[in-house]
């Protein structure tokens, strides 16, 4: 078995996150998190753009319990390429307490999709972030999008704000529910009224099948914790689209180079972006349960 050495500039996840002051509602879902390896058992993909620290399922489940979540949606990370075995193994181990989102190639068969469905997978991820993946032709993604419809799966899309304009026709074409990671990664120095963020709001307004994750203030921030510069963006989205938003920790926080967030502090950020108990319940329970457990 291969032990793969992590990148020298890699920050390891927070070793002892605080107990959150914010009490999560009963049945809350961490709807964006990953597992990395551990690499002796689940080697990283040869085509990966980074080699992370090992962060296996047991550590994820311990974090879930510590923070007060009931369930996880485990999103395939690019360091594992299209080998979904670490994510599928974590879903199987968690049973009804986890769902998965896979990365698959155009050649995926219906039988393979069936096996993943049985294991708890309920979506695929299309990644357009150039520092993370080599380009996949849009036709390949459209073929996959068609094939997963019979399983009722949704699609997670990850892209940078600068690429939204070019991707819009493709996004508008996708069938079923489409979830955009991290609000399409807005440039938070520009302001919530900037045309770029308005473009994203318009996309969601005009396409009721498009949802988003109001996640990753630690990734989008310029000013750092407690992420005052990102909160208005999350709030603007939750205010407008309370039935189409998800939240997650993004543990174990791939590619964080500036600082490593305390996951307990991230949970304490939730009431700053979802201001009422009803909105918090929709964000953390009703919406993810409807999308991934129905
Ligand atoms: C995220 C963000 C990142 C990485 C990945 O799959 C991944 O490698 O998702 C990132 O580097 O921005 O959503 O976890």
């Amino acid at each position: 078995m291969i032990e793969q050495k992590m990148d020298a500039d890699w920050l390891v996840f927070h070793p002892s996150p605080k107990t959150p002051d914010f009490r999560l509602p009963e049945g809350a879902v961490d709807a964006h998190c990953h597992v990395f390896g551990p690499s002796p058992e689940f080697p990283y993909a040869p085509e990966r753009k980074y080699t992370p620290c090992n962060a296996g399922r047991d550590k994820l489940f311990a974090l879930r319990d510590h923070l007060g979540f009931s369930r996880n949606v485990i999103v395939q990370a690019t360091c594992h390429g299209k080998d979904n075995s670490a994510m599928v193994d974590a879903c199987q181990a968690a049973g009804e307490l986890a769902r998965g989102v896979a990365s698959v190639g155009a050649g995926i068969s219906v039988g393979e999709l069936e096996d993943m469905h049985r294991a708890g997978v309920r979506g695929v991820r299309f990644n357009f972030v150039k520092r993370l993946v080599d380009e996949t032709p849009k036709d390949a993604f459209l073929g996959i999008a068609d094939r997963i419809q019979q399983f009722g799966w949704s699609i997670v899309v990850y892209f940078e704000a600068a690429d939204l304009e070019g991707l819009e026709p493709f996004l508008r074409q996708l069938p079923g529910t489409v979830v955009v990671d991290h609000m399409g990664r807005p440039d938070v120095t520009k302001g919530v009224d900037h045309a770029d963020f308005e473009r994203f709001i318009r996309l969601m307004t005009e396409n009721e099948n498009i949802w988003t994750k109001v996640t990753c203030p630690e990734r989008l921030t310029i000013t750092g914790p407690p992420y005052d510069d990102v909160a208005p963006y999350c709030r603007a989205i939750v205010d407008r689209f309370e039935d189409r938003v998800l939240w997650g920790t993004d543990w174990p926080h791939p590619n964080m180079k500036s600082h490593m967030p305390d996951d307990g502090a991230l949970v304490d950020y939730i009431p700053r972006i979802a201001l009422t108990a009803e909105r918090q319940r929709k964000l953390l329970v009703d919406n993810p349960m409807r999308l991934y457990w129905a």
Side-chain angles (χ1 to χ4, degrees):
M1 288 282 157
I2 319 157
E3 181 78 66
Q4 289 163 313
K5 267 187 97 60
M6 73 173 179
D7 293 345
D9 61 350
W10 188 269
L11 293 180
V12 176
F13 53 89
H14 198 293
S16 51
K18 64 171 285 205
T19 299
D21 297 319
F22 174 60
R23 235 189 109 165
L24 290 163
E26 190 64 39
V29 181
D30 177 352
H32 186 86
C33 51
H34 310 284
V35 286
F36 299 155
S39 68
E41 197 181 346
F42 300 109
Y44 301 118
E47 73 275 19
R48 69 190 180 279
K49 307 290 184 197
Y50 62 80
T51 304
C53 60
N54 284 321
R57 70 179 198 215
D58 295 341
K59 290 195 167 62
L60 175 65
F61 301 156
L63 180 78
R64 173 197 68 200
D65 296 344
H66 171 73
L67 297 177
F69 284 100
S70 298
R71 297 180 172 83
N72 295 110
V73 180
I74 307 171
V75 177
Q76 172 76 354
T78 57
C79 55
H80 279 297
K82 295 184 186 66
D83 176 355
N84 294 283
S85 46
M87 178 272 290
V88 163
D89 169 74
C91 288
Q92 282 170 327
E96 276 305 296
L97 299 187
R99 294 291 193 236
V101 175
S103 286
V104 303
I108 190 86
S109 68
V110 169
E112 288 169 302
L113 291 172
E114 265 165 10
D115 287 345
M116 283 199 272
H117 190 88
R118 262 193 298 277
V121 175
R122 293 292 183 272
V124 287
R125 191 185 200 199
F126 297 165
N127 202 321
F128 292 93
V129 179
K130 296 177 189 76
R131 67 185 163 77
L132 290 173
V133 283
D134 297 326
E135 198 176 329
T136 299
K138 294 203 182 66
D139 280 351
F141 280 145
L142 289 171
I144 296 165
D146 272 348
R147 208 158 318 151
I148 63 167
Q149 293 312 305
Q150 60 188 295
F151 297 96
W153 291 9
S154 54
I155 299 168
V156 168
V157 184
Y158 192 23
F159 56 83
E160 311 261 18
D163 296 323
L164 173 57
E165 188 172 357
L167 281 173
E168 264 205 68
F170 170 76
L171 296 174
R172 288 175 187 270
Q173 221 180 322
L174 287 174
T177 301
V178 176
V179 186
V180 177
D181 274 339
H182 321 329
M183 303 178 288
R185 294 193 61 115
D187 174 349
V188 300
T189 63
K190 289 185 168 169
V192 277
D193 298 331
H194 189 275
D196 288 356
F197 195 58
E198 279 183 352
R199 178 185 288 280
F200 183 64
I201 301 257
R202 196 166 55 244
L203 178 74
M204 286 194 68
T205 305
E206 292 173 1
N207 296 273
E208 290 193 350
N209 64 323
I210 299 188
W211 296 31
T212 194
K213 298 177 192 163
V214 284
T215 34
C216 284
E218 74 283 4
R219 225 172 252 298
L220 303 174
T221 188
I222 305 297
T223 56
Y227 314 125
D228 293 342
D229 53 344
V230 187
Y233 292 80
C234 300
R235 225 165 27 229
I237 298 274
V238 175
D239 282 354
R240 285 176 179 77
F241 309 108
E242 62 183 27
D243 294 315
R244 293 191 260 151
V245 281
L246 301 173
W247 193 88
T249 55
D250 195 28
W251 187 91
H253 308 286
N255 294 310
M256 285 300 296
K257 303 283 162 66
S258 60
H259 71 289
M260 182 50 63
D262 176 324
D263 298 279
L266 286 177
V267 169
D268 285 341
Y269 183 79
I270 296 171
R272 298 178 55 204
I273 65 170
L275 302 189
T276 65
E278 191 191 352
R279 283 199 173 154
Q280 291 158 9
R281 203 197 61 239
K282 287 183 171 191
L283 175 67
L284 296 160
V285 186
D286 298 354
N287 298 344
M289 290 306 289
R290 196 164 80 248
L291 191 58
Y292 292 112
W293 272 269

